[in-house]
Amino acid sequence: MSDVTYIDAIHAALDEAMERDPDVFLYGQDIGKFGGAFKATKGLQEKYPGRVLDAPISEDAMAGVAIGAAIEGARPVLEMQFADFSSVAFNQIINQAATHYYRTGVPVPLTMRLPSGGTPGSGPFHSQSMEAIYSHYPGLVVVTPATVADAHSMLLDSIAMDDPVIYCEHKFLYRWLKSEDLSGDRLPIGKARITRPGKHATVVTYSAMVHEAVRAAEMLYKDGGWEIEVVDLRSVKPLDTDTVIASVARTGRLLALGEAFPWGGVTAEVVSRVCADGFHLLDAPPVRLNSKDTPIPYHPKLWSSHRPTPESIAEELRKLLDY
Amino acid sequence: MDDTPKDLDQSSERNHVRRVFHAMLTARVLENKLGSLYKAGKIVGGVYLGKGQEAVSASMAACLEKGRDVYAPLIRDQAGRTAFGEEILDCTRTYLGSVKGPMRGRDGNIHRGRPAEGMLAMISHLGAAIPVIAGMLIAKRLKGELDGVVGATCVGDGCTSTGAFHEGLNTAAVEKLPLILTVANNQYAYSTPNDRQFACHDLVDKAVGYGVRGHSVDGTDMLACIKVMQEAVARAREGDGPQLVVASMLRLTGHGEHDDGSYVDAALKSSGLGRDSIEVGIKQLIEGGFATVEEIEQWQQEAADQVQQAVAIAQKEDGPDPYKDDWMAYSNPGMQMQR
């Protein structure tokens, strides 16, 4: 195989999961014959008759259906057309799916795929990153793969897991991110990865921002030989605090980076945990960099300034290194 | 502990009627006791009763087969729970916070169930169980186990205003699922009367809009409820798709035991809607030769004894121990954040 994209990896994982386990089925809008808005399910309805179901435009009921099927022993993979629309399904996910195991002892093995994050021209309602919202609720696992191999193995792991998993796949990576094949280190959900080792500062991030952080790190290396360590959280819940703290212990400096809105969220959680557990390791106040605190703008010129860029990340890192 | 006497277990029409009434009566006796325990301060949290709705609740659930069909009771379905086969102990243990109850103190009162046995544990958000039951049926279809199976749930008039009701019923209709959705129109959602809840002439008219079959019934009339529920469930089993049953009655209690229901219109109380389905049922049993006065009195005494025993057991049992609870929100221990 050559040039496997991130969306190919998702498609391959769905195919493999369905091949492997007859209890796996797919549910979502336009996912049948049409193959989904992003073609993640292309050809699967034909290959697995009766197991790829087109849903009406009813996100709340779609989540409810997935929950009921999961309670009954099936393994539904629910596709939200865009992460943004999962707000309509919020009640079912946080009140029904998330609480069910704790209340009844019966797990809810569903995977909800959320096409997340911004792409140029997508605007306020097709660009959101919802991982922090879902991570807030006990009972939900929230994963945010940043690589082709992770997109593949983490989707398989999500489907195999008995707990409800919110699988946040970044739309910007769908076709842009390519790999030679699907092989990787197959780290389990809950383990972060050192994407790029370094010694002068740590960037803790996830999803598409991993790639922006690596670009910023390359810029700083060229600029002054700075060696920036990039930690890819991979899953934001659970959050691998140990790997983060160990990195900060090596570098003494922390930038928590994310594409989501700045109030609270994953970057705040990372900083909070590092301050609580590793305050003595810090040589400088930890820094957070997120999107701006406005809705996500439509125009590419506004959008590209709304989210962190390699330039803005490098600028924050320079300030952090200068402290 | 099987709470249903053996002679009511058979499937003849006569015994079906007797079984429905027995569940209604048991629920009433149990709920009267729950009300007393609440007033005596023995129950933490709310107590929500189904007084007045026993006929519709029991007549639907009595058509279901535990272990095969799936059922999502709501707030006023004690009679349906009993008819489905829930033990009285599950109720008293949950209300009294026994760690041995199905919810182990982690949830209480009517928020109980045994999903592995086909009975969901309701959440408070109205209509949420409709698509969940639909999903359970879809899973059964996927496994090739749907033939002749039904799913059933009961909601109130207030629920018909939710998006969940609309999305859930529409989805079940699109998938042509064997779902029985009963609306117990008890005229009030908490204190809100029907004229502030919906503007349609009759809730059953909604069936047309969803492309499902609609049924109307006087929810105070036990025999009528039994007939309509048998028809609706049979049609669903035969592949006729979702059935919307609208039963009308009056809630003969407050929203919960904390509420005196003083807002209920006196004219409604004295109307036919305000009839007590248990009293109607007793009359129907005797006049129809389904049971004698003596039998009914005996059932009542037996139910009182069973309830007393179930309360006594639950009261003696330990509540949950915060030091012993594993505090696990995940079935996979590796996913639990320690703090």
Side-chain angles (χ1 to χ4, degrees):
Chain A
M1 264 200 293
S2 64
D3 274 7
V4 192
T5 64
Y6 185 92
I7 192 81
D8 292 338
I10 290 168
H11 185 278
L14 293 173
D15 193 358
E16 278 176 58
M18 294 188 83
E19 180 79 46
R20 208 181 284 174
D21 183 352
D23 289 336
V24 174
F25 78 99
L26 313 184
Y27 193 46
Q29 294 156 13
D30 305 301
I31 66 167
K33 198 174 173 196
F34 185 65
F38 298 102
K39 302 297 171 218
T41 59
K42 195 178 175 195
L44 295 180
Q45 189 181 59
E46 209 172 20
K47 191 168 176 188
Y48 303 101
R51 293 169 61 194
V52 181
L53 306 179
D54 282 314
I57 304 177
S58 298
E59 286 82 4
D60 178 77
M62 284 159 59
V65 162
I67 291 163
I71 290 171
E72 197 60 25
R75 291 191 176 270
V77 182
L78 180 62
E79 176 178 308
M80 287 288 155
Q81 201 153 75
F82 286 82
D84 315 49
F85 302 150
S86 74
S87 58
V88 180
F90 193 55
N91 173 46
Q92 289 285 4
I93 297 298
I94 65 150
N95 286 312
Q96 197 103 256
T99 65
H100 202 263
Y101 175 74
Y102 180 74
R103 294 168 66 231
T104 68
V106 175
V108 183
L110 73 81
T111 301
M112 178 164 77
R113 289 179 40 233
L114 296 186
S116 304
T119 50
S122 294
F125 313 115
H126 293 76
S127 301
Q128 291 172 42
S129 300
M130 312 281 282
E131 62 278 353
I133 301 270
Y134 290 107
S135 296
H136 186 67
Y137 287 91
L140 300 178
V141 174
V142 184
V143 303
T144 51
T147 69
V148 170
D150 276 355
H152 180 252
S153 74
M154 292 179 83
L155 183 49
L156 284 170
D157 290 351
S158 299
I159 296 169
M161 189 173 295
D162 282 344
D163 295 301
V165 181
I166 313 301
Y167 178 94
C168 304
E169 51 192 64
H170 203 295
K171 299 194 295 293
F172 194 65
L173 304 181
Y174 274 164
R175 290 186 169 74
W176 170 79
L177 191 66
K178 291 175 181 146
S179 179
E180 282 188 8
D181 56 39
L182 295 172
S183 65
D185 53 18
R186 289 221 54 142
L187 279 179
I189 289 173
K191 285 279 170 214
R193 178 192 295 119
I194 310 290
T195 297
R196 177 190 173 100
K199 58 186 180 190
H200 297 119
T202 295
V203 182
V204 174
T205 187
Y206 57 97
S207 192
M209 280 295 140
V210 169
H211 305 284
E212 309 298 348
V214 167
R215 286 193 191 100
E218 280 165 2
M219 288 163 67
L220 284 171
Y221 184 71
K222 276 186 200 153
D223 279 2
W226 296 109
E227 294 178 36
I228 306 298
E229 182 147 302
V230 177
V231 177
D232 174 4
L233 289 173
R234 300 178 67 253
S235 66
V236 297
K237 186 146 188 206
L239 196 153
D240 183 359
T241 314
D242 290 350
T243 297
V244 170
I245 295 278
S247 176
V248 173
R250 283 189 290 275
T251 66
R253 286 174 160 77
L254 169 67
L255 168 65
L257 169 68
E259 184 180 329
F261 299 130
W263 200 97
V266 177
T267 58
E269 188 68 27
V270 167
V271 167
S272 153
R273 283 170 187 266
V274 168
C275 286
D277 295 354
F279 191 71
H280 58 292
L281 305 170
L282 290 164
D283 296 327
V287 176
R288 293 170 64 213
L289 182 60
N290 302 285
S291 77
K292 292 190 194 304
D293 195 21
T294 68
I296 302 155
Y298 149 75
H299 198 281
K301 279 187 174 173
L302 292 176
W303 173 72
S304 58
S305 292
H306 182 265
R307 73 202 286 262
T309 59
E311 292 73 22
S312 66
I313 299 164
E315 192 184 326
E316 289 302 326
L317 280 170
R318 281 192 196 96
K319 283 191 261 178
L320 182 64
L321 292 162
D322 280 349
Y323 182 86
Chain B
M1 182 166 79
D2 183 354
D3 301 316
T4 308
K6 288 280 173 285
D7 67 322
L8 299 184
D9 249 353
Q10 294 147 30
S11 57
S12 77
E13 187 55 34
R14 179 172 182 272
N15 277 340
H16 182 75
V17 172
R18 286 158 64 90
R19 205 161 76 81
V20 169
F21 179 78
H22 188 268
M24 292 167 59
L25 184 65
T26 304
R28 178 63 64 88
V29 170
L30 173 56
E31 291 200 332
N32 282 339
K33 184 69 184 175
L34 293 173
S36 305
L37 288 167
Y38 177 80
K39 289 183 177 73
K42 304 286 187 192
I43 291 175
V44 179
V47 170
Y48 304 92
L49 306 182
K51 285 183 187 175
Q53 298 183 202
E54 288 91 344
V56 63
S57 183
S59 62
M60 180 174 79
C63 294
L64 308 177
E65 191 185 314
K66 196 176 169 188
R68 176 170 171 240
D69 299 324
V70 289
Y71 176 44
L74 201 74
I75 176 172
R76 308 200 192 284
D77 282 319
Q78 182 56 53
R81 289 170 179 274
T82 302
F84 188 70
E86 185 194 60
E87 294 183 3
I88 294 172
L89 252 182
D90 271 13
C91 173
T92 57
R93 279 174 164 160
T94 306
Y95 264 109
L96 291 163
S98 162
V99 75
K100 289 186 175 169
M103 311 312 281
R104 298 160 292 165
R106 291 174 170 194
D107 209 338
N109 47 61
I110 58 305
H111 298 95
R112 66 181 190 274
R114 291 188 178 268
E117 295 169 21
M119 193 172 81
L120 286 174
M122 61 168 279
I123 67 169
S124 303
H125 302 64
L126 295 177
I130 301 169
V132 176
I133 286 281
M136 293 174 94
L137 295 172
I138 286 174
K140 284 182 182 285
R141 188 173 70 192
L142 194 70
K143 292 169 191 281
E145 297 165 1
L146 189 62
D147 242 16
V149 167
V150 296
T153 188
C154 189
V155 302
D157 39 273
C159 175
T160 64
S161 312
T162 66
F165 176 93
H166 167 72
E167 290 195 7
L169 180 52
N170 181 62
T171 296
V174 166
E175 295 287 347
K176 296 186 174 52
L177 295 171
L179 170 79
I180 297 97
L181 173 55
T182 292
V183 178
N185 179 4
N186 66 17
Q187 317 302 314
Y188 289 85
Y190 206 149
S191 77
T192 304
N194 279 352
D195 65 358
R196 298 301 301 168
Q197 197 66 246
F198 52 85
C200 62
H201 169 67
D202 187 329
L203 287 173
V204 80
D205 294 344
K206 293 193 180 223
V208 180
Y210 291 105
V212 304
R213 191 178 296 273
H215 308 258
S216 290
V217 67
D218 174 353
T220 69
D221 181 336
M222 180 184 72
L223 290 180
C225 286
I226 289 172
K227 185 164 173 284
V228 165
M229 289 300 182
Q230 282 179 320
E231 190 197 333
V233 173
R235 282 188 183 277
R237 283 200 202 284
E238 287 159 9
D240 190 46
Q243 310 287 314
L244 179 68
V245 181
V246 178
S248 302
M249 81 293 286
L250 195 62
R251 191 180 71 207
L252 301 181
T253 177
H255 168 62
E257 285 303 273
H258 58 276
D259 170 29
D260 65 5
S262 55
Y263 43 80
V264 175
D265 185 347
L268 276 178
K269 286 184 189 173
S270 56
S271 76
L273 287 171
R275 293 198 298 174
D276 183 342
S277 67
I278 301 260
E279 285 169 17
V280 175
I282 290 173
K283 201 157 171 272
Q284 290 175 327
L285 286 185
I286 294 166
E287 284 176 3
F290 294 102
T292 62
V293 177
E294 291 73 28
E295 279 179 303
I296 296 166
E297 281 171 355
Q298 191 194 330
W299 291 341
Q300 179 145 15
Q301 190 53 51
E302 282 166 3
D305 291 346
Q306 283 174 350
V307 166
Q308 197 56 46
Q309 198 187 344
V311 168
I313 290 170
Q315 278 183 325
K316 272 184 229 142
E317 288 170 350
D318 289 335
D321 181 346
Y323 294 99
K324 284 184 186 157
D325 194 293
D326 65 11
W327 297 103
M328 290 289 293
Y330 298 85
S331 68
N332 181 339
M335 295 301 107
Q336 185 71 47
M337 307 253 338
Q338 295 310 307
R339 58 200 182 87

